[in-house]
Amino acid sequence: HTKNNGRNGHNFFQPSMNTLAQTQLQLNNDLWHAQENNELRLFYQPKYCAPRGPIIGFEALLRWQHPTRGLLTPDVFLPLAEKTGMIVTIGGWVINEACRQLHQWRQQGHLNWSVAVNLSALQFEQSNLVETVTEALATHDIPPELLTLEVTETTAMRDPDESVRILTELTRLGVKASIDDFGTGYSSLLYLKRLPASELKIDRAFVNELQHQTEDATIVSAIVALAQSLDLKVVAEGVETAEQQAFLTGLGCNTLQGYLLGKPVPPEKVAELPNFALEAEEKRQAALPHSI
Ligand code: C2E
Ligand code: MG
Ligand code: MG
Ligand code: MG
């Protein structure tokens, strides 16, 4: 049977749409198995005390080692996982895995390091989030203040009253809250003041354009000033050049993150990060007997 799809020869479903839908469907299927097949990974990007160290901690960033498509970044599969709700289970795994990794680092002597985990909007709204966090901290014996939960400004401002409630519950556990991608959403300053967050992360879109667009420099200065007046730590993400590093440090931005200082790496590569060698050298120098 062949079916005639209209006289003018137009099909409603273009082959390209079909292929895209099929790819998404396949990806969705694969994602169901990704967890049980241990294909999900966390990479870690260092956060540095401005201007260049020491490392104060890491942001955990999700990767999927897909059997045929290679290493996938969140933009490829996160929207899908959010749509199907799979992000809740995946996000639970992320929290536990980041705590497990931090425990391992602590055993290696890195007692001051902290770890930050991103929460998706759906995950943020789950009533069992507090339990998930409590359990991960207890299982891996993590001091709560060493775990930061990052929520985007957009998520936090979707239902501000509800966000204040959720973040209050979470921060009662002793964990820190951070407002991610700040500057891209629409914050009510009133709510920003009420949110029990301890950190703002300036979106990398502003940091990126710092040297080219003076408006961005003005925005970044304003965000840093706002953060300081609200007694929040301010982190710049996406620092790629020495100029950006110098500008941000000059403004009083306390923490820097970006390719200039360190890319996200798998945990086994953490010891190879740039300023690791520097720190080790400084320690060695400090341990040397002083010559007179
Ligand atoms: P984000 O939380 O704002 O993370 C920062 C993103 O910027 C990361 O992308 C990081 O690799 C990238 N980045 C860092 N420094 C630089 C730089 O200097 N230049 C450039 N061009 N990019 C830089 P990534 O890993 O692809 O993650 C993208 C987003 O996916 C994250 O944005 C976060 O919103 C989300 N995400 C990542 N992991 C998780 C997770 O475990 N759970 C949830 N819910 N979301 C996650
Ligand atoms: Mg983040
Ligand atoms: Mg961000
Ligand atoms: Mg982002």
Side-chain angles (χ1 to χ4, degrees), residues 136-205:
L137 292 172
T139 305
H140 304 289
D141 198 18
I142 301 297
E145 67 276 13
L146 297 184
L147 176 66
T148 298
L149 302 173
E150 296 191 2
V151 185
T152 66
E153 178 187 22
T154 308
T155 298
M157 290 299 155
R158 213 149 77 164
D159 183 346
D161 282 317
E162 187 60 5
S163 298
V164 170
R165 190 190 64 74
I166 298 169
L167 284 181
T168 303
E169 235 189 301
L170 287 167
T171 51
R172 264 199 205 124
L173 301 175
V175 302
K176 308 275 188 207
S178 170
I179 309 300
D180 204 354
D181 298 351
F182 191 80
T184 57
Y186 299 90
S187 272
S188 147
L189 293 185
L190 188 68
Y191 278 108
L192 194 59
K193 202 177 138 186
R194 283 182 53 204
L195 283 177
S198 49
E199 177 185 285
L200 285 188
K201 293 186 83 170
I202 307 172
D203 192 76
R204 79 181 137 88

Side-chain angles (χ1 to χ4, degrees), residues 33-55:
H33 302 291
Q35 259 188 297
E36 51 194 270
N37 294 347
N38 285 321
E39 292 165 10
L40 297 180
R41 305 262 178 283
L42 289 183
F43 274 37
Y44 294 88
Q45 187 177 32
K47 290 164 107 171
Y48 291 88
C49 185
R52 74 179 67 79
I55 290 175

Side-chain angles (χ1 to χ4, degrees), residues 105-247:
W105 285 328
R106 291 175 63 71
Q107 286 190 312
Q108 293 164 4
H110 302 291
L111 296 174
N112 297 324
W113 281 3
S114 60
V115 76
V117 163
N118 293 284
L119 299 181
S120 86
L122 192 66
Q123 196 185 3
F124 185 61
E125 290 157 7
Q126 299 296 307
S127 54
N128 64 356
L129 180 59
V130 171
E131 276 166 62
T132 306
V133 173
T134 308
E135 201 176 304
L137 292 172
T139 305
H140 304 289
D141 198 18
I142 301 297
E145 67 276 13
L146 297 184
L147 176 66
T148 298
L149 302 173
E150 296 191 2
V151 185
T152 66
E153 178 187 22
T154 308
T155 298
M157 290 299 155
R158 213 149 77 164
D159 183 346
D161 282 317
E162 187 60 5
S163 298
V164 170
R165 190 190 64 74
I166 298 169
L167 284 181
T168 303
E169 235 189 301
L170 287 167
T171 51
R172 264 199 205 124
L173 301 175
V175 302
K176 308 275 188 207
S178 170
I179 309 300
D180 204 354
D181 298 351
F182 191 80
T184 57
Y186 299 90
S187 272
S188 147
L189 293 185
L190 188 68
Y191 278 108
L192 194 59
K193 202 177 138 186
R194 283 182 53 204
L195 283 177
S198 49
E199 177 185 285
L200 285 188
K201 293 186 83 170
I202 307 172
D203 192 76
R204 79 181 137 88
F206 301 112
V207 176
N208 243 312
E209 298 293 321
L210 267 182
Q211 66 269 62
H212 309 296
Q213 297 186 5
T214 46
E215 294 127 59
D216 283 334
T218 311
I219 292 170
V220 170
S221 314
I223 295 176
V224 173
L226 176 70
Q228 286 169 345
S229 73
L230 292 175
D231 213 10
L232 297 170
K233 256 179 58 180
V234 56
V235 182
E237 58 177 22
V239 181
E240 291 183 354
T241 69
E243 289 77 15
Q244 293 165 353
Q245 179 188 35
F247 182 83

